């Protein structure tokens, strides 16, 4: 729903191509003929027809998704694992693309009226005056036009083509938010150092390695004469950035199903989630740099009209592709192929990178914290619908806020998701916890499968593919080497500092599991105006297909070949007995380097109590002088937890367990989590004396079972005071008939 | 999510105004200057700026909704009932509208370049050639343009204005679907005759009464000289149609909270839900009729250029409003004010009405039935995420399918919702039942509050309001009289046939509770091009404000003044004891007229068993010759229900109870419904011998409690065979630790 509105205002006006956001009025000499009345009626008919056609086109996608869902079910039912649902969606997309391309020929009743007048710019909005009536037009983007029959196909295939910004403004945010919201935080935080190393340094290394290799290939191709257009060093780096974003979806679904070692899982998942953020910021910085270079050099260069290199390149390319589009090539400083990439620019871009990244990070965290505060200090949890709506709106506003401030919305949404999971999730009512998880799970599922089926479709419906065999071979090699340059050296360095080494078979799997997916696709389709970008886009598509089908399908054999332990339960290694649990918790903390340890303590002592109902009361952790403030900010529940003070990080672990069950769809709706979990833990501590015995564990399980029963019946009990805060439940209330519930009201 | 995509393809191209869906190429003599490089960079900057501005604008709406949610919570918390959340949303919208209108003045860097060339039409897509590069523009709609300072305000306020089609393609469908999906079907079906009478005949009566009264007023205004433009009889009828749609939201929320008499509730809810469908089809038929009249008379009339009446009206209006827009006035057959509204046209429009309505109905039911079949014959219920996604996509495809076929999507969605609730809901897994209900509840909540806050905003942000005091007074009188002409005569007629009479205090409440809401607003904002439509829109806004604030707020006093029984539990009067229950069930059936009785039997004997897991097996109800087919279509569970055959309509009643709990947010997540409910009923029948005693009821409640416990723990049990069909659960399985669940996979 929400993303819808994004489309209405937020998404539409962001054009991938140059435009002037001021009005330009065409004062056209309209023909004030009497045929207008008839024209008008015919026009309305045609508009209706067009609307119908569009509905039918959208139906194609819905049917595609429906078909995918049914086939996924069949696969899951029959336990086929060689092909993931995303791979399946791509195949169906491919099939429909083939049909649309070669099967359907809609005759078009087009008549190209060609009036002429002088316009010297392409504004965002056009006002056209037809016989005294003004029509507003909005710029959709630059198009390449062929001639004759080509145009008709264009029209048909262009109908099923989305504005690339749709991906950034509508489809990616829920996917990325879900990734953040479903992060297994304990394992993530245990490996945070390594994950950050892989995500930041690794992506930058990969970007530069791929960029350099591609530059070598492109230079060679230029010598051999295989290159049909310009391709600069910044283009190579841009290509490196977009194909460095690995996808957290496909392999990890398999990992989850097979219960692969949790550390390997955490490393891969954490890396690929942060990866996306790094890649998107990196690519946008590179674009900004390129623009600035263009601006700077544009003024220095001789007029392009007199520049033989540019003319040669452009004509050659126009001849080959029969298109008139593409202008950015023209602004590249032609002559030498090295582009102005200097140390100064590198430093500057590093600064921009840091600024954009930290800004987006701060915004995401800020909205997350605000949501936590609102849900903590209001009794909104009595109305799950309101709570869920608020959660949804706040999370979405992160995206808009970041875009409005000029940061990257997708990155902000990622960190907002992590913050929401870490703090806000604990404040939500159990009902809202389920609702929010399920909502974003669904949005993620739909968006993901839509992107993948669209990817399949694009292979045939996209008009200006440039498949260059040499470039493709080079790209595959570069991607492979770039991934290797990321994983192996970094693993070596990290192993020097890690107690729990990253074994070589883990490294091979990480190397193999570097799938490219939705983010890579979205980044590459964002701008396909120039020859270089078109070649990148086509190549990227092939890389995605290859990695999803081959690497994704080969994961299971690869795991057994590498003898990676499967069937490891992520909960087992921590909660099988309380002693082990406690020691491992301490391990989690002590394994990390000191900055992370400081953060742990700060988070546990101040942030958790401030933002959630759990943790030690602030009155105990804050200095005495802040007494009144601390009392005011601490929730009543926190005092109940005071006895537990020695049991550090318990909420960390417990909440992680609850979040980790998110991936197991069947268990999602009844996991006991949040404050309830903590309360249960608490009562367990008192009833069993906190003793780490098997008997205590059994007791706890029995209590948990009880609680489910209680929660089940609680909702049909007469509850006269809806504002009563949730307290520790130790005894099941007596059952009563459901018909006397006074709280039946509709939100 | 889905509605998002609707925006991408489905919504965008449907323009409210005339357009030619073919390409028109401007071959403009571009200026091939060298300043292009600099231009380009500046352009990109401005595009970024514009994107930021748009994100900020959308943020305003998000903040509005967030504020509304927090205030709603406060109201609910403090049990204020005098203002409903929708009224609140409107007030906040109004405030923001005032601020935007009078508070904010964004200086615009606009320079109106005015080139001139000849265009004789306004196509859907424009291709503009700027220096050899082609830009594609899409038609957004016709705009009215003022001069000077006015333009700047325009720009600011136009930014927060949505395409009216957004309401029809994105915001209304979830609202209407939710209304259908949450219909209390038992009470609905018990009163179906009366509901249909109010909805169909009542709306048509109301439409014509309002139309005639308004025609009188308009004629009088014309004589007095108060009318600033043309206003025809079809316009009056159109106005009657749009203000005849009553809103099912506000009053019913209060009714639900106060537990008003179920029959009154059912009558009002059923009427206002079907009402919307009738009004939307009626208004579209009137529009179509008007167009045809225009087409027919357009050819007969003298050229408009020579028509003094048109020129006078248009100039007068242009002078008053300082705008240049509005063309449809010009196409009305000027001269006499009666318009061509003849008996033939009336008959024809009745035919169109029936065609569109029944087509939409059939499509909606068809998709619902298809979803029921798919969910019945696949084991999709093992994967709630897939099931929910499928349910969502199928429901959405109804809308697209109807639009693609030229029917009314919103109406199709309504009947799809009812069908889904009646059949598909029973096939879904309990998890999916919750998920789908919660999802559509959330979508409904967001869409509704968005519409109402937008309504408030529009009062100030809309550019061409026409507030005519006389027209407004007339409209309020007409709306009042139209409602009276709907309720009182029809109630009198219906009481002749009803055993359970509609008492006069019920009639007064129905009269009073005729609120106008989202549908009326959406219909009136759809086309605001002419003077008549603008006056209608402004008046409609005031009617909505008045009814929501005054009638909505006065509902509680009204109920006590009319001594309507409150605190009636809808479940109590049927399930307090099984004898009463059974007799009332039979009543439900026997109270209805014979067509409904036939339908009951057909539905229970054939449709329910065919489409769901419940009901008697088809082998028992179908003739012997169809044996093999019947066996193949009957689900295994149905045979278990065979013993219950005497217990007719039980699924009807039980499912109704489960759906009725939808409005009580707090009870929503644990109601036992669908096949589980039936299974429980089944085991109860055997264990307590089907005896209608209080002991049996207690037993059932105990079982229900057990079942919740089972369902809670079932999910953490080792289930080795996920494809096992759900069977009757009578004994709780032994609890086991949660860590050995092998079904943890991610969808």
């Amino acid at each position: 729903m929400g993303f819808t509105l994004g489309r209405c205002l937020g998404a539409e006006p962001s054009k991938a191509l140059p435009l002037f956001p001021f009005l330009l009025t065409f004062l056209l000499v309209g023909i004030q003929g009497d045929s207008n009345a008839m024209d008008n009626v015919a026009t309305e008919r045609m508009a209706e027809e067009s609307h119908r056609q569009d509905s039918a086109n959208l139906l194609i996608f819905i049917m595609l998704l429906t078909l995918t869902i049914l086939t996924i079910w069949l696969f899951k039912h029959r336990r086929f694992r060689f092909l993931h649902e995303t791979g399946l969606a791509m195949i169906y997309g491919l099939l429909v693309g083939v049909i649309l391309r070669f099967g359907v020929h809609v005759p078009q009743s087009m008549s190209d009226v060609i009036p002429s007048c002088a316009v010297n710019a392409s504004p965002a909005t056009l006002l056209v005056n037809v016989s005294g009536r003004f029509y507003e037009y909005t710029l959709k983007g630059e198009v390449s036009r062929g001639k004759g029959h080509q145009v008709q196909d264009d029209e048909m295939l262009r109908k099923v083509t989305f504005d690339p910004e749709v991906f950034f403004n509508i489809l990616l945010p829920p996917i990325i938010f879900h990734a953040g919201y479903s992060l297994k935080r304990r394992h993530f935080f245990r490996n945070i150092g390594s994950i950050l190393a892989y995500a930041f340094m690794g992506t930058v290394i990969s970007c530069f390695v791929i960029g350099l290799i591609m530059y070598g290939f492109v230079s060679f191709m230029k010598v051999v004469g295989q290159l049909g257009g310009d391709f600069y060093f910044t283009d190579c780096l841009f290509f490196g950035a977009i194909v460095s974003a690995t996808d957290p979806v496909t392999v990890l679904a398999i990992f989850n199903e097979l219960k692969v070692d949790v550390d390997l899982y955490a490393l891969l998942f954490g890396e690929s989630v942060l990866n996306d953020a790094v890649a998107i910021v990196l690519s946008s910085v590179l674009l900004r740099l390129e623009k600035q270079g263009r601006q700077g050099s544009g003024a220095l260069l001789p007029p392009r009209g007199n520049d033989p290199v540019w003319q040669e390149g452009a004509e050659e390319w126009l001849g080959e592709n029969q298109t008139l589009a593409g202008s950015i090539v023209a602004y590249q400083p032609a002559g030498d192929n090295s582009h102005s990439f200097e140390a100064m620019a590198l430093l500057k871009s590093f600064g921009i990178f840091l600024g954009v990244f930290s800004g987006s990070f701060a915004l995401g965290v800020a909205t997350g914290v605000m949501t936590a505060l609102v849900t903590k200090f209001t009794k909104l949890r009595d109305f799950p619908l309101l709570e869920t709506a608020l959660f949804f709106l706040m999370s979405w506003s992160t995206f808009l806020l970041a875009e409005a401030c000029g940061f990257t919305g997708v990155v902000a949404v990622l960190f907002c998701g992590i913050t929401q999971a870490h703090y806000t999730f604990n404040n939500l009512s159990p009902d809202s916890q389920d609702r929010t998880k399920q909502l974003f799970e669904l949005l993620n599922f739909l968006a993901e499968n839509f992107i993948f089926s669209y990817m399949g479709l694009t292979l045939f419906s996209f008009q200006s593919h440039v498949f260059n065999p040499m470039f493709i071979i080079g790209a595959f090699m570069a991607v492979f080497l770039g991934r290797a340059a990321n994983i192996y050296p970094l693993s070596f360095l990290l192993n020097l500092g890690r107690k729990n080494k990253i074994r070589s078979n883990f490294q091979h799997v990480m190397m193999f599991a570097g799938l490219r997916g939705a983010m890579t696709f979205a980044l590459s389709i964002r701008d396909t105006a120039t020859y270089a970008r078109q070649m990148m886009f086509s190549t990227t598509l092939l890389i995605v297909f290859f990695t999803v089908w081959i690497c994704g399908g080969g994961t299971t054999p690869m795991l057994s070949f590498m003898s990676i332990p499967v069937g490891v339960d992520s909960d087992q290694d921590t909660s099988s007995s309380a002693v082990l649990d406690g020691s491992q918790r301490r391990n989690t903390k002590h394994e990390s380097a000191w900055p992370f340890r400081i953060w742990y303590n700060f988070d546990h002592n101040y942030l958790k109590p401030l933002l959630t109902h759990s943790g030690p009361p602030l009155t105990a952790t804050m200095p005495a002088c802040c007494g009144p403030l601390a009392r005011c900010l601490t929730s009543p529940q926190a005092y109940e937890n005071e006895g537990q003070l020695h049991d550090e990080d318990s909420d960390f672990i417990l909440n992680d367990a609850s979040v980790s069950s998110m991936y197991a769809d069947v268990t999602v709706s009844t996991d006991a989590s949040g404050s309830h979990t903590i309360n249960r833990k608490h009562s367990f501590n008192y009833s069993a004396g906190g003793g780490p015995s098997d008997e205590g564990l059994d007791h706890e399980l029995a209590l948990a079972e009880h609680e489910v029963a209680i929660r089940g019946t609680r909702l049909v009990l007469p509850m006269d005071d809806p504002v009563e805060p949730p307290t520790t439940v130790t005894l099941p209330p007596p059952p009563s008939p459901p018909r006397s519930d006074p709280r039946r009201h509709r939100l």
Side-chain angles (χ1 to χ4, degrees), chain A:
Chain A
M1 188 24 264
F3 295 91
T4 290
L5 309 175
R7 175 74 188 139
C8 307
L9 268 186
E12 217 170 31
S14 69
K15 302 302 174 303
L17 284 164
L19 43 87
F20 286 123
F22 53 76
L23 289 172
L24 173 80
T25 310
F26 282 66
L27 277 179
L28 307 171
V29 187
I31 301 163
Q32 293 182 319
D34 305 319
S35 60
N36 260 354
M38 294 303 289
D39 271 6
N40 218 34
V41 172
T43 290
E44 276 173 21
R45 286 251 172 85
M46 277 164 148
E48 254 183 65
E49 197 50 56
S50 155
H51 177 60
R52 281 185 202 179
Q53 184 60 43
D54 288 318
S55 295
N57 285 336
L58 196 51
L59 259 181
I60 293 174
F61 283 101
I62 305 278
M63 289 302 144
L64 254 175
L65 285 183
T66 311
L67 208 65
T68 309
I69 287 173
L70 289 177
T71 325
I72 292 168
W73 164 71
L74 209 70
F75 274 37
K76 282 189 185 284
H77 189 61
R78 303 222 177 276
R79 296 173 177 280
F80 287 162
R81 273 195 195 119
F82 62 91
L83 189 59
H84 186 250
E85 58 203 57
T86 48
L88 207 68
M90 286 204 300
I91 291 177
Y92 281 127
L94 271 179
L95 291 180
V96 173
V98 169
I99 293 168
L100 286 184
R101 178 97 192 189
F102 304 108
V104 186
H105 279 281
V106 180
Q108 297 268 337
S109 61
M110 298 211 309
S111 53
D112 282 15
V113 185
I114 308 179
S116 49
C117 60
V119 192
N120 65 347
S122 55
T125 318
L126 272 187
L127 277 189
V128 178
N129 177 351
V130 181
S131 335
R133 286 149 56 204
F134 283 85
Y135 295 96
E136 189 183 359
Y137 285 81
T138 44
L139 182 59
K140 214 176 162 190
E142 198 170 339
V143 285
S144 52
R145 289 199 73 209
K147 277 155 200 126
H149 186 72
Q150 183 71 18
V151 179
Q152 298 194 4
D153 272 0
D154 267 9
E155 196 47 28
M156 178 64 213
L157 293 172
R158 212 145 44 81
K159 281 255 179 190
V160 291
T161 304
F162 289 86
D163 180 354
E165 294 301 310
V166 168
F167 295 102
F168 277 87
N169 294 308
I170 298 167
L171 295 173
L172 277 185
I175 296 179
I176 301 290
F177 183 88
H178 182 253
Y181 198 50
S182 67
L183 206 69
K184 288 188 179 189
R185 274 166 299 128
R186 183 165 55 88
H187 301 294
F188 176 78
F189 282 114
R190 196 202 284 177
N191 294 294
I192 190 146
S194 309
I195 290 172
L196 289 179
Y198 285 124
F200 282 82
M201 291 175 56
T203 307
V204 173
I205 290 172
S206 164
C207 166
F208 275 85
V209 168
I210 295 175
L212 284 169
I213 294 175
M214 287 324 290
Y215 185 58
F217 259 91
V218 165
S219 307
F220 177 71
M221 281 160 69
K222 203 166 185 75
V223 172
V224 180
Q226 282 280 311
L227 203 66
D230 288 304
F231 211 106
Y232 300 102
F233 185 56
T234 42
D235 290 329
C236 295
L237 279 183
F238 183 77
F239 183 72
I242 63 177
V243 296
S244 291
T246 55
D247 193 59
V249 177
T250 317
V251 172
L252 297 176
I254 298 164
F255 273 35
N256 222 312
E257 211 163 333
L258 295 177
K259 301 198 173 300
V260 174
D261 184 277
V262 282
D263 280 317
L264 178 58
Y265 183 94
L267 283 175
L268 260 178
F269 189 73
E271 186 217 342
S272 42
V273 165
L274 290 180
N275 223 345
D276 285 356
V278 176
I280 193 175
V281 177
L282 205 60
S283 64
S284 81
V285 168
L286 283 171
L287 270 187
R288 212 176 282 199
L289 201 75
E290 192 184 316
K291 274 183 222 165
Q292 283 170 349
R294 198 194 303 159
Q295 189 180 15
S297 53
L300 293 171
L301 280 177
R304 270 176 305 98
N306 306 329
D307 180 2
V309 178
W310 174 78
Q311 283 200 335
E312 186 201 336
E315 275 162 21
E316 187 182 319
W317 165 60
L318 287 175
E320 262 191 27
N321 294 285
Q322 285 203 325
T323 59
L324 289 167
S327 60
I328 295 178
V329 177
Y331 301 123
Q332 304 272 13
D336 69 330
N337 199 6
S338 68
H339 211 43
S340 56
F341 200 87
E342 300 140 26
M344 198 54 215
L346 193 70
L347 259 179
K348 197 173 168 186
S349 64
F350 186 70
I352 298 173
F353 175 85
L354 276 189
V356 171
F357 198 92
S358 55
S360 310
F361 173 84
L363 264 177
V365 171
T367 16
V369 164
M370 222 162 77
T371 318
L373 286 175
V374 169
T375 47
K376 184 188 172 186
F377 289 107
T378 63
K379 294 274 185 304
L380 211 60
R381 45 180 295 141
D382 296 329
F383 305 97
L385 176 60
L386 294 183
E387 207 176 32
T388 311
L390 185 88
F391 186 90
F392 177 77
L393 289 176
M394 293 293 282
S395 303
W396 186 33
S397 72
T398 308
F399 176 81
L400 293 174
L401 205 62
E403 293 286 318
C405 297
F407 295 121
T408 313
V410 173
V411 176
V413 152
L414 168 67
F415 292 106
C416 178
I418 297 177
T419 315
Q420 301 279 38
H422 195 52
Y423 300 115
T424 315
F425 189 79
N426 299 307
N427 298 339
L428 299 179
S429 63
D431 198 7
S432 294
Q433 291 181 344
D434 290 346
R435 282 180 184 222
T436 51
K437 279 191 291 187
Q438 289 169 358
L439 175 69
F440 284 104
E441 205 185 352
L442 180 70
L443 291 180
N444 170 63
F445 176 82
L446 289 175
E448 208 173 83
N449 281 293
F450 183 85
I451 290 191
F452 277 89
S453 62
Y454 186 73
M455 240 184 255
L457 192 77
T458 305
L459 190 62
F460 289 97
S461 72
F462 186 66
Q463 301 284 311
S464 12
H465 271 302
V466 179
F467 289 111
N468 188 320
M470 256 183 114
F471 188 83
I472 292 167
I473 293 168
F476 270 84
M477 275 179 58
V479 165
F480 183 81
L481 291 175
R483 183 79 189 159
N486 170 358
I487 298 295
Y488 294 116
L490 279 180
S491 301
F492 175 76
L493 289 176
L494 287 168
N495 275 340
L496 296 180
R498 276 177 76 103
K499 274 179 205 155
N500 176 16
K501 308 286 182 203
I502 302 167
R503 276 172 285 155
S504 65
N505 57 349
F506 278 28
Q507 296 178 22
H508 297 324
V509 170
M510 288 183 74
M511 168 80 209
F512 185 76
L515 265 65
R516 272 58 172 186
M519 179 59 81
T520 302
F521 174 75
L523 282 172
S524 67
I525 205 180
R526 198 169 200 175
D527 180 0
T528 51
T530 67
Y531 170 79
R533 291 286 150 76
Q534 285 161 1
M535 197 156 73
M536 278 185 215
F537 175 63
S538 307
T539 311
T540 305
L541 261 190
L542 293 183
I543 291 173
V544 173
F545 287 156
F546 179 83
T547 55
V548 168
W549 285 332
I550 308 298
C551 297
T555 306
T556 318
M558 180 74 181
L559 286 174
S560 58
F561 179 73
M562 286 292 164
S563 57
I564 302 281
V566 294
V568 179
D569 196 308
S570 63
D571 299 332
Q572 204 169 18
D573 66 343
T574 56
S575 61
S576 55
S577 90
V579 181
L580 184 63
D581 200 14
S583 71
Q584 215 150 354
R585 257 176 241 160
R586 249 155 274 136
N587 271 354
T588 304
K589 215 175 108 185
H590 295 296
E591 262 172 28
S592 318
W594 61 267
F596 301 114
R597 255 175 284 157
I598 291 175
W599 161 251
Y600 271 146
N601 285 329
F602 180 70
D603 179 64
H604 180 258
N605 290 335
Y606 301 102
L607 291 182
K608 276 258 169 175
L610 175 65
L611 300 173
T612 71
H613 294 300
S614 62
L618 280 172
T619 43
T621 54
M622 275 171 91
C625 58
C626 312
L629 184 71
R631 258 192 298 283
C632 157
L633 293 176
T634 303
S635 81
Q637 282 102 311
Y639 293 107
E640 294 169 21
N641 300 330
E642 205 167 1
Q644 277 189 280
L645 259 180
H646 62 279
D647 191 9
E648 267 183 53
D649 283 341
S650 68
D651 46 339
F652 247 114
I653 276 79
L654 284 166
N655 296 331
D656 287 330
S658 80
V659 170
S660 75
S661 68
M662 198 157 177
Y663 276 97
D665 313 285
V666 275
T667 71
V668 105
S669 64
T670 47
D671 58 358
S673 47
S675 62
H676 266 265
T677 312
I678 289 141
N679 290 335
R680 201 180 72 210
K681 182 83 186 168
H682 178 54
S683 65
F684 155 62
N685 278 346
Y686 282 105
S687 60
S693 64
D694 278 338
E695 190 198 317
L697 191 73
D698 280 350
H699 191 151
E700 190 183 359
L701 283 165
L703 269 178
E705 210 192 308
H706 239 148
E707 203 204 33
V708 173
I710 292 160
R711 207 191 297 164
T713 51
R714 182 181 67 106
L715 303 175
V716 289
L717 286 178
M719 297 210 293
D720 292 313
D721 185 11
V723 300
E724 181 196 21
T727 51
T728 311
V729 185
T730 42
L731 275 176
S736 85
R739 64 188 100 102
S740 54
D741 180 8
R743 292 188 67 207
R744 289 216 169 184
H745 44 234
R746 186 190 174 293
L747 279 189

